[in-house]
Amino acid sequence: MRGSSAIRLIAALLAGLLSASFAQAQSLELVGNYTWTERVEGFGGFSSIEVSDNGSTFLATTDKGLFGQGVFLRRGGRIVGIDDAKFRPILDTEGAPLISYRTDAEGLAVRGGDIFVSFEGQHVVRRFSGTDGPSQILKMPRWVRQLQKNSGLEALAIDTQGVLYMVPERSGRLERPFPVWRWTKGKWDSALRISRSNGFLVVGADFGPDGRLYVLERYFNGVSGFATRVRSFVVGAEALSDEQVLLTTTTGTHDNLEGIGVWRNAAGNIRVTLISDDNFRFLQRTEFVEYRLIP
């Protein structure tokens, strides 16, 4: 083969590889946002959300120990209101409302009739059979005793097989990956890790209809506000792979986004719905933000 022909062939092969790589890359495109307000005592502080498979309804938890749920009103595919909003106290094992530091609900995962909620103050996961009944505390791994105060069990997600995944907000060191604990058949394992970078901390997770694990991360930059990152992974038996950074916002683009729900609309497109924690401060807001996945 002559030199010029060989060069052209190599260039064509490289172009094909680059095209295939770009074709596989995905990103999130903003659909819209909506500020939610309700005249309910204790409203605010939303740290998690689960969205129904078709995106019509949601369930959320708050830092003050409430379940919140409602129906999305959409126009042109964008959220324009919330209908039929209901709020109930999260109950302990005796059926009484949680009190004191035990109320700080952070992670949420729903599968079938089971609702799982993780808590930051007490470092436990509670299981419910509905939003109006008592809870059962899962047997927790010894590792949770090492978690930092106010940086505990931040994210929960559950796959189609009913395996529960739990991620803390902090890993203990800037260069240390976040541990991912899996709960199945009454036991925990710690085989998985999520890489940590650029100051982002894990605040939410959900499995999408494509089977990938979507992880919501937050970076706080003082008076400038919050930056948001969303990554997705393929989950294997021993590792997470095929990391894709779908979204990285500039500081101040959104409020303090902490909850993530991933679903598919009637057109077959994946949507990502996020909710913010206003920390019960008048300078912040409870904000729904929706993105669509662009192949």
Side-chain angles (χ1 to χ4, degrees), residues 17 79 116 139 161 186 191 197 228-229 264 282 292:
L17 289 173
I79 299 173
F116 298 88
K139 182 180 180 181
Q161 304 303 311
S197 63
T228 297
R229 183 169 71 183
R264 195 187 302 274
F282 75 94
R292 56 173 160 249

Side-chain angles (χ1 to χ4, degrees), residues 142-271:
R142 295 189 303 274
W143 316 307
V144 300
R145 302 171 188 171
Q146 303 170 14
L147 295 177
Q148 296 169 247
K149 186 177 180 180
N150 200 37
S151 298
L153 306 178
E154 191 76 16
L156 284 183
I158 193 165
D159 67 16
T160 56
Q161 304 303 311
V163 178
L164 188 67
Y165 294 73
M166 178 174 68
V167 189
E169 181 177 1
R170 295 180 183 272
S171 62
R173 293 181 182 176
L174 292 176
E175 71 282 0
R176 178 184 294 167
F178 299 98
V180 181
W181 297 310
R182 273 184 308 207
W183 184 78
T184 181
K185 298 180 180 179
K187 296 181 179 180
W188 295 94
D189 71 54
S190 58
L192 305 180
R193 297 287 186 272
I194 295 176
S195 61
R196 178 172 175 172
S197 63
N198 301 326
F200 281 94
L201 301 177
V202 173
V203 289
D206 193 25
F207 278 93
D210 54 0
R212 296 179 67 93
L213 177 64
Y214 289 73
V215 178
L216 172 64
E217 297 169 287
R218 170 191 62 195
Y219 171 71
F220 179 53
N221 192 24
V223 295
S224 298
F226 301 88
T228 297
R229 183 169 71 183
V230 177
R231 292 186 285 170
S232 75
F233 303 85
V234 170
V235 178
E238 299 298 330
L240 302 181
S241 62
D242 191 30
E243 174 186 337
Q244 295 194 25
V245 180
L246 305 177
L247 173 72
T248 305
T249 72
T250 56
T251 302
T253 300
H254 301 301
D255 209 294
N256 177 28
L257 298 176
E258 285 203 21
I260 180 171
V262 187
W263 53 282
R264 195 187 302 274
N265 66 11
N269 302 316
I270 289 180
R271 292 285 186 98

Side-chain angles (χ1 to χ4, degrees), residues 16 31 64 99 103 106 131 171 178 187 216 218 230 275 286:
V31 175
K64 291 195 174 179
I99 60 173
T103 64
E106 292 293 333
T131 58
S171 62
F178 299 98
K187 296 181 179 180
L216 172 64
R218 170 191 62 195
V230 177
I275 191 171
T286 297

